[in-house]
Amino acid sequence: MSDLISVVISSYKGSDTVERAIRSVLAQTYPSIELIVVDDNGLGGEEQIATEQVVRRYPHVKYIAHQVNKNGSAARNTGMKAASGKYVALLDDDDEFLPAKIEKQYKVMRESGAPVCYTGQKIVFSSGTEREDIPHIQGFIFPQVIQRKVEAPTSVLMFERDVALS
């Protein structure tokens, strides 16, 4: 039996990119995913309405809208509190996951017992140039992540929900 993994997409002024993020989650090779989009645009504005219209095309996606803009951290926290999964992965509305990301992180976490795992990332700049960042720290990295001693943008993280909320 696979553990449920919740993916939280935080969105602010991302109505034109959030669908790509959603599709990258729906294309994951891991079978048991709950997807939550937290809209941080504030109710009633053009961006909020446009974001909601995009998300509503995907009936299995849970949509939560903040009444007012609170910031990305608040949106992620809202999503984590609404999540049902044992694990949570974060994704920004302008990022996307490679298809096996969740499966690979889950496997590492299950085998190692680690409460947090991060991946490398490929950054594609508007100029078309690319840069890959490969992880170099292994072992129990949670304190380093919290203290921001590890280059780990939110979209590369996966962690146990209970550990993050405690």
Side-chain angles (χ1 to χ4, degrees), residues 9 11 14-27 35 37 50-51 53-58 61 91-97:
I9 298 176
S11 184
S15 62
D16 57 337
T17 58
V18 72
E19 187 162 24
R20 184 184 74 213
I22 291 169
R23 287 182 180 188
S24 79
V25 174
L26 298 177
L35 179 53
V37 174
T51 300
Q53 288 175 344
V54 169
V55 176
R56 295 293 181 212
R57 293 182 202 146
Y58 301 91
V61 175
L91 181 60
D92 293 334
D93 60 11
D94 62 347
D95 288 342
E96 61 186 297
F97 288 162

Side-chain angles (χ1 to χ4, degrees), residues 2 4 54 87-88 91 96 98 108 148 150 154:
S2 300
L4 179 65
V54 169
Y87 300 95
V88 175
L91 181 60
E96 61 186 297
L98 293 176
V108 167
R148 296 186 171 255
V150 172
T154 56

Side-chain angles (χ1 to χ4, degrees), residues 110-123:
R110 291 287 294 172
E111 289 175 359
S112 69
V116 65
C117 179
Y118 76 113
T119 66
Q121 63 180 332
K122 180 179 178 180
I123 302 168

Side-chain angles (χ1 to χ4, degrees), residues 10-12 37-45 48 63-79:
S10 56
S11 184
Y12 178 72
V37 174
V38 181
D39 185 335
D40 194 41
N41 288 296
L43 288 177
Q48 183 270 318
Y63 176 77
I64 302 170
H66 282 167
Q67 288 195 352
V68 297
N69 172 258
K70 295 182 179 182
N71 74 35
S73 294
R76 290 179 199 97
N77 287 337
T78 296

Side-chain angles (χ1 to χ4, degrees), residues 154-166:
T154 56
S155 293
V156 303
L157 294 171
M158 190 162 95
F159 47 84
E160 289 183 8
R161 180 180 173 274
D162 291 346
V163 170
L165 292 177
S166 61

Side-chain angles (χ1 to χ4, degrees), residues 42 109 141:
M109 293 177 76
I141 64 165

Side-chain angles (χ1 to χ4, degrees), residues 121-141:
Q121 63 180 332
K122 180 179 178 180
I123 302 168
V124 181
F125 297 95
S126 58
S127 65
T129 59
E130 298 179 0
R131 182 182 91 211
E132 284 195 43
D133 292 332
I134 307 299
H136 60 279
I137 298 175
Q138 295 182 2
F140 184 71
I141 64 165

